[in-house]
Every structure is written in structure tokens, then in C-alpha cells.
Amino acid sequence: GVYGRVLCHRSAMGYLLANATAYSGMFAYFAGSPFVFIEVYGVAAEDYGYLFACNVIALMSVSFLNARLVTRLGAHRLFAIAVRIIAIVGIVLLVNAITGFGGLPGLVIPLLVYVGSLSMIGANAMALALDRFPQAAGSVSALSGGLMFAVGALSAGAVGLFHDGSALAMAAVITATGLGALTAQICLTRDDS
């Protein structure tokens, strides 16, 4: 019954769907980046870990920034800003993958911004969804996790399905996840501001 109430609640589902869709971009990154960085751009396999570690630094940095800004700007505003950021950098990533603009940095920099922004999206989306169902925190968290892994599996599978030996499949799926998160945010949570 609790799951049904959450699933039928427009804004709570908006936050959970936007969060799951945004995070599925990271699953696409996990699926595509080893091939893209190592095979397409010639990064030594032993150096791939350093590029991946930069994402952890981005996640931690944005998480710290979010904690500093949330009391001044509010969770909904920060969530909306971060969703717009991932949609924009997703498009930049796709354009760079199609044109080759910027080479490896042309992919790494938008990916860092995308992944770092997930800290702001995840923390605020969960807080806002839980605010609608404070008595059902466990159910909301479980639903959030289930959605994240379900949509993430689809995005990782899509990278493999559309793989063409370039960065295009990874970039296209990440762009779709950013735009999907933006669509969920605009259509389902806009009135919460």
C-alpha cells in the first residue's frame, strides 16, 4: 500500500524518477568509458583508474558545495539547477563525441561535471521525496534504489547495444539520461518550487 501511494504521488515520483534517470547516466559511463578511454583515446589501462578517481573528487566536491548552499537556496532550487546542468553537459558531451572536438578532455570534462552534479541531484531529490512521505522513509528509499538500478541497467545495456567502436553510444545514452531527468523534473516537480 505504501509503495502504491508513493507511485501515485506526482512530485515524489518526479524526484525519484529524475534521480534514477540522472544516475543511470553514471551506469552508462561505467559501461562505456573503459573502452572509450583505453581503446579509442589510447589511455593506458593502468591510468584509467586516475581518470575514474577524478569523478570521486567531483562527487565529493559537489556534495560539500550542496551542503553549504542548501540552507540558502533550498533543496528544490539546487535540484532543478543540477538537473539543468546535466542536461546541458550531456548535449555538450554528445556534440564533442560526434565532432571529436576537444579530444579526450572534450569528453572527460563534461563527464566530470555530469557525475559531480549527481551529488546535488541525489541528496536533494531524496530529501524532497522523503519530505512527502516522512512516515515511509524505508519504502521511499527502497523504491528509489530499485528505480536507480532498473533504469541504470537499461542505460548500461543501451551503451552495449548501440556500441559502434566510438564514444557515440556512451555519449548519446548519457545525453538521453540528462534530458530524461530534466523532463521528469519539469513535468512532475515544477509546481513544488
Side-chain angles (χ1 to χ4, degrees):
V2 175
Y3 287 119
R5 289 196 300 277
V6 177
L7 288 167
C8 292
H9 193 282
R10 180 184 174 99
S11 64
M13 279 309 296
Y15 294 120
L16 296 180
L17 285 172
N19 183 46
T21 307
Y23 266 89
S24 71
M26 191 160 58
F27 283 76
Y29 172 75
F30 293 160
S33 64
F35 176 84
V36 170
F37 292 170
I38 295 168
E39 300 296 329
V40 176
Y41 286 95
V43 172
E46 58 272 18
D47 292 335
Y48 173 79
Y50 296 120
L51 287 174
F52 196 81
C54 292
N55 293 293
V56 176
I57 294 167
L59 282 165
M60 291 170 50
S61 300
V62 175
S63 182
F64 178 79
L65 178 65
N66 185 67
R68 296 281 184 194
L69 294 177
V70 73
T71 53
R72 277 191 300 184
L73 299 177
H76 180 79
R77 180 181 286 177
L78 289 175
F79 168 77
I81 290 169
V83 167
R84 281 158 178 73
I85 288 170
I86 67 165
I88 292 166
V89 298
I91 292 168
V92 170
L93 178 68
L94 182 60
V95 169
N96 290 353
I98 291 169
T99 64
F101 179 78
L104 181 62
L107 297 181
V108 170
I109 293 169
L111 285 168
L112 283 174
V113 175
Y114 187 104
V115 171
S117 298
L118 295 178
S119 287
M120 194 171 285
I121 292 169
N124 294 310
M126 186 57 70
L128 291 159
L130 288 171
D131 188 50
R132 274 90 188 136
F133 292 93
Q135 75 287 359
S139 297
V140 172
S141 293
L143 186 57
S144 176
L147 283 170
M148 283 173 47
F149 282 105
V151 182
L154 291 173
S155 70
V159 172
L161 182 66
F162 297 113
H163 174 73
D164 66 351
S166 73
L168 186 57
M170 178 185 74
V173 172
I174 291 172
T175 302
T177 64
L179 294 173
L182 179 62
T183 301
Q185 187 271 318
I186 290 172
C187 294
L188 300 174
T189 73
R190 176 184 283 182
D191 296 338
D192 285 4
S193 59

